[in-house]
Amino acid sequence: MYTLECKQLYKSYDKRRNVIENLNLQIPEGKIVGLLGPNGCGKSTLIKMVAGLLQPTSGEILICGNPVSEITNSYISYLPERTYFDSEMKVNQLIDLFDEFYSDYDRAKTLHMLRDLGIDINMRLKTLSKGTKEKVQLVMVMSRNANLYMLDEPIGGVDPAARDYILNTIVANYNPKSTVLITTHLISDVEKLLDEFFFIGYGGAILRSGNADDVRENEGKSLDQLFREEFRCSVNY
């Protein structure tokens, strides 16, 4: 079964330009998948459509074989690019909220990861650094037992020292039957996690896709090298 399917998907905000144009993809269950592309290519727009936050202009999105709805929203654990929690809340209040709201939430998993990160659950979110807030948000998202985890730039705002822990957290805390979809332009940091990848270009076009290990073995290049060649971009793309 495919966890996520997009069929002839279009999204435009005006009549002059499609942000997503005729996008087709199939993502199977049990995989960690990278949706890799430069900033502004439509990655976040696609994620928001899958999450039901934006409506496609045309085309179809299926999650575990079902069209996007309130039901499929319960299949998804979504990490947006920007922190969205109420900054006045304490971390322990956030834990209580998730525990009450999500039937698939694992409170013990949250507490374990927060201890590992040295985060005091009695602190208010507004007193935490931007990077620490993002760590809290990722911990909350990965503490659910979802079918599809969608992580939009999960390491973009955290310090390099914390990235390995966060990436290991992603691997260690998802159900092997679930799917993890990671959007990022920081290819070198995440590529060791990936089973499959999609290079997405401007307009949401899929320029290349495949099994990450097969590509590395057959071409003798990292995904980061291939990405830079595909987009002909500098280290500051």
Side-chain angles (χ1 to χ4, degrees):
M1 171 185 283
Y2 294 111
T3 301
L4 174 62
E5 293 182 81
C6 298
K7 301 178 180 180
Q8 297 180 316
L9 196 63
Y10 286 79
K11 177 62 182 178
S12 61
Y13 294 103
D14 57 51
K15 296 181 179 180
R16 294 170 294 178
R17 184 175 70 91
N18 289 311
V19 179
I20 300 289
E21 184 167 359
N22 196 28
L23 185 144
N24 295 276
L25 59 79
Q26 295 176 318
I27 297 178
E29 65 180 21
K31 301 289 184 180
I32 300 179
V33 180
L35 189 65
L36 312 175
N39 289 328
C41 70
K43 302 188 300 297
S44 293
T45 295
L46 173 59
I47 291 292
K48 289 175 182 176
M49 287 193 290
V50 175
L53 299 175
L54 292 174
Q55 292 295 316
T57 303
S58 63
E60 186 177 22
I61 299 172
L62 299 175
I63 302 163
C64 299
N66 301 296
V68 174
S69 66
E70 289 186 12
I71 293 174
T72 62
N73 286 345
S74 69
Y75 301 163
I76 297 170
S77 192
Y78 170 45
L79 178 75
E81 188 175 7
R82 293 181 176 84
T83 304
Y84 65 96
F85 296 144
D86 182 350
S87 63
E88 293 296 327
M89 294 183 74
K90 293 182 179 180
V91 177
N92 57 11
Q93 292 174 316
L94 185 60
I95 293 170
D96 289 340
L97 179 65
F98 265 60
D99 205 3
E100 180 179 354
F101 193 77
Y102 295 111
S103 61
D104 61 359
Y105 176 67
D106 188 334
R107 185 187 189 100
K109 187 181 290 186
T110 293
L111 294 173
H112 172 75
M113 287 190 282
L114 291 177
R115 280 196 298 268
D116 280 356
L117 288 166
I119 296 172
D120 183 351
I121 65 171
N122 295 304
M123 297 289 287
R124 291 194 186 277
L125 292 172
K126 68 180 182 181
T127 67
L128 303 177
S129 68
K130 180 177 183 293
T132 301
K133 288 178 187 176
E134 293 189 1
K135 293 173 195 174
V136 170
Q137 187 164 285
L138 177 65
V139 165
M140 303 305 296
V141 166
M142 296 308 300
S143 293
R144 290 182 55 202
N145 295 307
N147 297 87
L148 174 62
Y149 298 89
M150 297 196 302
L151 312 179
D152 195 359
E153 298 286 354
I155 59 173
V158 301
D159 56 279
R163 285 183 182 175
D164 281 345
Y165 181 88
I166 287 173
L167 296 175
N168 289 334
T169 296
I170 293 170
V171 173
N173 290 280
Y174 88 102
N175 186 323
K177 291 186 178 180
S178 302
T179 297
V180 179
L181 181 62
I182 302 173
T183 75
T184 188
H185 64 284
L186 300 172
I187 316 302
S188 61
D189 289 292
V190 303
E191 72 166 274
K192 63 184 178 181
L193 305 184
L194 303 180
D195 300 307
E196 310 282 342
F197 74 95
F198 293 87
F199 285 168
I200 183 169
Y202 292 105
I206 301 298
L207 304 180
R208 186 166 184 170
S209 64
N211 179 279
D213 287 336
D214 288 348
V215 168
R216 284 189 287 260
E217 182 177 343
N218 294 336
E219 304 211 16
K221 298 175 182 177
S222 68
L223 289 183
D224 187 55
Q225 289 173 306
L226 290 173
F227 179 85
R228 293 171 189 274
E229 291 175 6
E230 188 72 52
F231 293 98
R232 302 186 185 281
C233 44
S234 72
V235 294
N236 294 316
Y237 56 78

